[in-house]
């Protein structure tokens, strides 16, 4: 949905990407999802008196990967700070985060909406710990606290308020989501909360330079909710202003059941977080050598790979972007092209067409495809060498998807080999001409449709196996 | 001077009850201390880097390994209110 | 026997002149007789102490004993020790039984010491008189009407009264050195990062450092050697090769340059203390050391800087005491906000609340730069002062405290006056340096006076060497308080 007429919607997004470490950011407890309550909450995670945080190297390494992937600056020295507030899911009474000196600053994410490109700059990305969970099921009118998630490493990625409208916001979130998975720092599982977005939304009249008062919307655990919440919030703010009201800066919660945002009561009182450098954690030093080692271990990034697909294979921008939406799909495509020995355009058509449809149907990633890249390449090969017609090829693909074997075996077994033998096709053409004098006359009288009907007769006589291109050519030659 | 409103706000941030007497004695004590530490302003600290960690060390990191076993039963033995492994608090409204 | 030092007891144990069980029973009987009056120990576990004494005896019999095997000790009650309550002198943790051991508890247990119990302290280590304990004030064995100092007052009183030959403590702004001085014993606060803080309940994390009390520099060296060392569970623990803190005990001090800050023997030091300290300097000069005057110009601002930084860190460190996972929980709180407020207001004492509020203030919006950041800058100036002074001297010496032990319940409860008790000890914590206090004379009413020795970072062995040389030619460290004053 576009912005209300005469208004511009301005959005900045804060993303909490859960880093895919085995252990927590400051303790050796497991980060695995779904354990029984508090069984993965160590002394550090429940903030026993006397325990101390020790930073996980894996979390830092992932932050460096991100910084390099977005072209940001990895700080040689960054500082952990305490953000002080009381909440039952925050056992220490403070969250260890980064404030004045974050681990990554700057960088950008390139998005595409409706074929046009836009670069969204990032403000910063910083390391912090996640909080636990409050379970509101009824325990005799009490709330239960599970601290398994407390201390899970997060990278908070903050964009500049450069997004205009919910579609750009969604494109940004999706691109970022693909990137963090691509570089292997986050599993991206939104149901489990591994990738969470908060949107800072404000509106202003078109042409106005000053930003409006923003509201922060939380609990956006799907791209659909992100889009709906921004649209709702923008409409709410515009209506409020047009009715003579003013927007109050506040934190709001997206309520998916009602499809609206509402004030978060627990965040009502203005906070004073009293950030200060954590005395338990000296500054984090990241050496140039470490940064270079991480750079060396980074995979080719999706943007670079997409550009390469366009340049080397002549793919369209859309094809390149779609193929690089996930690392598994891109790897699959490259494997097909390699096995097929070229013909990347056809390979792309197959991967983006039949294969993607199949993967969607099965709800699996490309690396779990029942049709291997080599098998798909075999099929592409049989189309290229004329063995299969396009229609037959789709039948073969379905059979491969059902696990019936390689393309060649299926072609033989089902008799799908295209007839391309000139002599055999000439006989079929002669037979069709002899059997359909009326069509021949019509064609000669200028009715093009009649020609197609003759082709159809030949195809029918061949049980669909005649090479349609050759049939066309033979008929044209024979009828003059 | 620390105003009564400021004292109330500090107590709120620190989750401490204002004393039953309205906090006059507490306010007096805090005023005394805060007035006394205000002499720090006399120091010329232009260009001085704050010293937050003695010896100015940098952070030592641990390897990403799971080392902590499940000890929730031992940890919850002294907990004031627990059910089904969860710590209980009065109802939280979001 | 109870008057012997740890080093002497260690010899007696290994020569089988006494068993650890006998020794432990001896000290337990002294505790039974004297602790009621002193209130130095808040937890005593005879059964466990005797069991570990017997285990120590078995090791002694097998000749597998180290120098500390079988020596009874007590721990300040902010070191977590499995199975015992760790109260921090607070109602908040009056019933808190730690599910784990502090690093130093592990280390000392591994060294074979016999842990008899836990020592009283100012609540959460906030205080200089040990009057701020939920379990009541600790009395000075030299004069029961006087304070033993704080915050490790229970540990100091227990060692001074020979309830144990040694005890652990923690020192954030003088909490080992000041009570050591006021009770006539020895205490060391090591370099920040020398002893792991893991399992030591935090007061002010960038200043807290564990240390120990005993009767001689030699004893401090033995105990510190066992306690100190790298611990990966504390990110501020410094990774260094293990060291023998007794290696320089017999090093000659001839030619040693002792810096005496001109600010240390002027106004604000009572004449009896100044006289005793001058006497100690004369003794050291007689041993060949040379006294040089040094200057610590920013010293004056160290105490106010401390009373910004320590409360700031404390206000955050003590937020975990919210009545949810452990500790005191107010009855019948209807909502979350009142559960927090009431649990904390009931569980934390007035001085702790005061410091939390001060810390909250100095970190809050609009005050951070003027108070907290400025204090950390002043801290740098204080540390730089020491660095400059150490260009001219090897160790710095002066009084540990401005006066001898003062009366319990001293009238005129001005918090600032109490804070100035730590005038000479606080700068050392701000800079993270090692400091030792040893008895060096008698002041007003025959009460002990402490000499503070301050070293460069990691110069503990040198400090202990100087202290040992002094103790080889004096006997202040051997003087014991009257048994029934």
């Amino acid at each position: 949905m576009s912005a209300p007429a005469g208004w511009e919607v301005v959005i900045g997004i804060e993303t909490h990407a859960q880093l895919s470490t085995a252990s927590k950011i400051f303790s050796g407890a497991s980060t695995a999802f779904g354990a029984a309550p508090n069984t993965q909450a160590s002394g550090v995670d429940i903030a026993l008196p006397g325990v101390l945080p020790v930073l996980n190297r894996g979390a830092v390494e992932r932050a460096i990967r991100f910084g390099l992937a977005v072209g940001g600056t990895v700080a040689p020295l960054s500082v952990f700070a305490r953000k002080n507030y009381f909440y039952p899911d925050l056992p220490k009474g403070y969250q260890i985060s980064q404030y004045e000196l974050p681990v990554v600053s700057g960088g950008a994410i390139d998005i595409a909406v409706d074929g046009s490109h836009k670069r969204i700059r990032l403000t910063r990305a910083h390391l912090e710990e996640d909080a636990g969970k409050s379970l509101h099921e009824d325990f005799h009118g009490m709330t239960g606290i599970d601290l398994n998630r407390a201390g899970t490493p997060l990278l908070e990625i903050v964009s500049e308020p450069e997004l205009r409208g919910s579609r750009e916001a969604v494109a940004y979130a999706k691109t970022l989501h693909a990137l963090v998975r691509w570089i292997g720092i986050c599993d991206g599982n939104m149901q489990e909360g591994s990738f969470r977005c908060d949107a800072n939304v404000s509106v202003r009249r078109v042409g106005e330079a000053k930003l409006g008062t923003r509201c922060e919307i939380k609990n956006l655990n799907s791209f659909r909710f992100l889009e709906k919440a921004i649209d709702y919030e923008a409409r709410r703010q515009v209506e409020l202003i047009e009715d003579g009201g003013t927007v109050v800066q506040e934190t709001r919660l997206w309520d998916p059941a009602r499809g609206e945002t509402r004030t978060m009561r627990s965040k009502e009182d203005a906070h004073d977080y009293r950030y200060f450098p954590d005395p338990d954690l000296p500054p984090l030093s990241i050496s140039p050598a470490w940064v270079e080692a991480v750079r060396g271990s980074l995979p080719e990034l999706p943007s670079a790979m997409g550009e390469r697909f366009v340049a080397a294979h002549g793919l369209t921008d859309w094809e390149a972007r779609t193929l690089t939406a996930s690392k598994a799909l891109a790897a699959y495509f490259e494997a097909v092209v390699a096995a097929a020995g070229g013909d990347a355009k056809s390979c792309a058509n197959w991967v983006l067409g039949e294969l993607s449809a199949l993967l969607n149907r099965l709800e699996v990633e490309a690396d779990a495809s029942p049709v291997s890249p080599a098998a798909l390449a075999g099929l592409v090969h049989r189309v290229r060498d004329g063995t299969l017609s396009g229609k037959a090829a789709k039948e073969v693909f379905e059979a491969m998807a059902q696990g019936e074997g390689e393309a060649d075996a299926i072609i033989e077994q089902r008799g799908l080999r295209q007839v391309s033998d000139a002599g055999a096709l000439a006989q079929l053409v002669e037979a069709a001409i002899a059997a359909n004098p009326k069509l021949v006359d019509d064609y000669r009288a200028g009715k093009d449709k009649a020609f197609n009907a003759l082709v159809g007769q030949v195809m029918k006589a061949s049980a669909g196996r005649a090479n349609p291109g050759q049939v066309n050519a033979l008929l044209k030659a024979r009828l003059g | 001077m620390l105003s009564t409103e400021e004292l109330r706000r500090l107590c709120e941030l620190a989750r401490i009850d204002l004393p039953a007497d309205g906090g006059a004695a507490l306010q007096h004590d805090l005023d005394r201390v805060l007035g006394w530490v205000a002499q720090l302003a006399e120091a010329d600290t232009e260009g001085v880097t704050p010293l937050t960690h003695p010896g100015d060390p940098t952070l030592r990191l641990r390897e990403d390994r799971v080392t902590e076993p499940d000890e929730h039963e031992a940890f919850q033995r002294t907990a004031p209110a627990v059910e089904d492994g969860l710590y209980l608090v009065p109802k939280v409204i979001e | 026997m109870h008057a012997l030092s740890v080093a002497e007891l260690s010899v007696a144990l290994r020569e089988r002149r006494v068993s650890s069980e006998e020794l432990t029973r001896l000290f337990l009987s002294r505790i039974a007789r004297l602790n009621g009056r002193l209130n130095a120990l808040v937890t005593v576990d005879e059964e466990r102490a005797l069991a570990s004494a017997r285990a120590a005896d078995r090791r002694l019999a097998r000749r597998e004993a180290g120098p500390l095997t079988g020596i009874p000790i007590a721990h300040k009650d902010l070191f977590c020790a499995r199975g015992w309550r760790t109260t921090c002198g607070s109602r908040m943790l009056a019933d808190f039984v730690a599910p784990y051991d502090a690093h130093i508890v592990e280390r000392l247990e591994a060294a074979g010491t016999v842990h008899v119990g836990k020592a009283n302290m100012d609540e959460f280590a906030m205080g200089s008189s040990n009057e701020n304990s939920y379990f009541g004030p600790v009395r000075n064995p030299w004069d029961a009407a006087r304070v033993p100092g704080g915050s490790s007052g229970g540990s100091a009183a227990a060692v001074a009264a020979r309830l144990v030959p040694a005890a652990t403590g923690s020192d954030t702004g003088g909490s080992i050195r000041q009570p050591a001085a006021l009770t006539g014993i020895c205490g060391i606060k090591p370099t920040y990062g020398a002893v792991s803080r893991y399992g030591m309940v935090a007061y002010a994390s960038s200043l807290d450092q564990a240390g120990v009390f005993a009767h001689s520099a030699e004893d401090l060296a033995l105990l510190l050697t066992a306690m100190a060392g790298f611990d990966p569970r504390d990110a501020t623990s410094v990774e260094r090769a293990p060291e023998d803190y007794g290696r320089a005990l017999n090093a000659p001090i001839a030619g040693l340059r002792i810096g005496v800050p001109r600010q240390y023997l002027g106004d604000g030091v009572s004449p009896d203390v100044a006289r005793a300290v001058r006497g100690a300097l004369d003794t050291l000069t007689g041993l060949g050391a040379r006294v040089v005057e040094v200057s610590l110009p920013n010293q004056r601002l160290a105490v106010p800087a401390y009373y910004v930084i320590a409360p700031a860190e404390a206000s955050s460190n003590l937020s975990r005491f919210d009545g949810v996972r452990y500790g005191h929980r107010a009855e019948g709180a209807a909502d979350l906000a009142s559960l927090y407020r009431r649990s904390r207001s009931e569980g934390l004492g007035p001085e702790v609340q005061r410091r939390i509020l001060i810390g909250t203030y100095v970190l809050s919006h609009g005050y951070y730069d003027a108070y907290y950041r400025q204090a950390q800058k002043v801290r740098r100036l204080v540390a730089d002062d020491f660095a400059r002074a150490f260009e001219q001297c090897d160790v710095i010496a002066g009084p540990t405290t401005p006066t001898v032990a003062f009366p319990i319940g001293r009238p005129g409860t001005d918090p600032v006056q109490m804070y100035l008790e730590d005038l000479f000890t606080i700068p050392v914590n701000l800079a993270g340096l090692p400091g030792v206090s040893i008895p060096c004379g008698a002041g007003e009413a025959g009460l002990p006076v402490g000499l503070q020795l301050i070293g460069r970072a990691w110069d503990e062995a040198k400090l202990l060497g100087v202290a040992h040389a002094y103790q080889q030619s004096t006997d202040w460290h051997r003087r014991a308080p009257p048994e029934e004053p």
Side-chain angles (χ1 to χ4, degrees), chain A residues 287-300:
Chain A
S287 69
W290 191 6
V291 174
E292 287 319 304
V294 172
R295 197 192 301 279
S297 76
L298 269 183
E300 183 181 19

Side-chain angles (χ1 to χ4, degrees), chain B residues 3-13 16 18 22:
Chain B
S3 69
T4 310
E5 191 39 50
E6 274 182 304
L7 178 64
R8 195 182 305 281
R9 169 103 179 119
L10 289 179
C11 286
E12 173 59 31
L13 281 172
I16 285 175
L18 207 58

Side-chain angles (χ1 to χ4, degrees), chain C residues 24 27-28 31 35 40-50 52 71-87 104-105 108-109 113-121 154-155 158-159 163-169:
Chain C
T24 303
F27 284 109
L28 285 172
I31 292 168
N35 189 52
L41 301 175
V42 291
T43 295
V44 178
D45 190 339
E46 298 205 3
E47 206 175 311
R48 197 162 137 189
L50 291 171
S52 60
I71 303 286
I73 62 166
H75 291 295
K76 184 175 184 178
D77 206 13
L78 50 53
F79 293 106
C80 289
R82 213 185 285 266
W84 283 344
R85 57 184 191 157
T86 297
T87 70
I104 67 151
V105 171
L108 287 167
E109 213 147 63
T113 57
V114 172
H115 301 184
V116 301
K118 309 290 283 294
N120 204 347
M121 56 183 282
S155 299
V159 174
L163 304 186
V164 279
T168 58

Side-chain angles (χ1 to χ4, degrees), chain A residues 46-50 91 100 272, chain C residues 100 199 316-317 320 325-326 365 373:
Chain A
I46 70 163
L48 280 180
E100 284 185 342
D272 183 346
Chain C
Y100 75 106
S316 177
N317 282 336
R320 67 187 59 197
R325 296 162 315 285
Y326 46 75
H365 189 70
R373 201 191 296 270

Side-chain angles (χ1 to χ4, degrees), chain A residues 44-55 82 84 86-94 100 142 145 147 272-282, chain C residues 80 96 99-100 192 197-201 205-206 232-236 312-313 316-317 319-322 325-326 329 336 340 344 360 363-365 368 372-373:
Chain A
V44 170
D45 305 319
I46 70 163
L48 280 180
V51 297
L52 297 165
V54 184
L55 181 59
R82 295 184 180 178
N84 294 284
F86 284 89
Y87 207 67
D89 64 13
L90 189 72
K92 295 187 294 296
Y94 59 84
E100 284 185 342
M142 308 278 273
I145 306 295
L147 298 173
D272 183 346
Y273 290 124
R274 289 156 285 138
Y275 281 99
F276 74 107
D278 192 326
D280 288 328
L281 295 163
Chain C
C80 289
F96 172 68
Y100 75 106
Y192 186 82
R197 294 185 296 117
Y198 181 80
M200 177 172 80
V201 180
S205 313
S206 77
R233 296 169 300 188
D234 172 2
T236 61
E313 293 182 5
S316 177
N317 282 336
S319 291
R320 67 187 59 197
F321 303 110
D322 59 6
R325 296 162 315 285
Y326 46 75
R329 179 175 177 123
L336 192 63
Y340 282 155
R344 289 167 62 77
T360 303
L363 288 176
S364 64
H365 189 70
Y368 181 88
Y372 179 78
R373 201 191 296 270

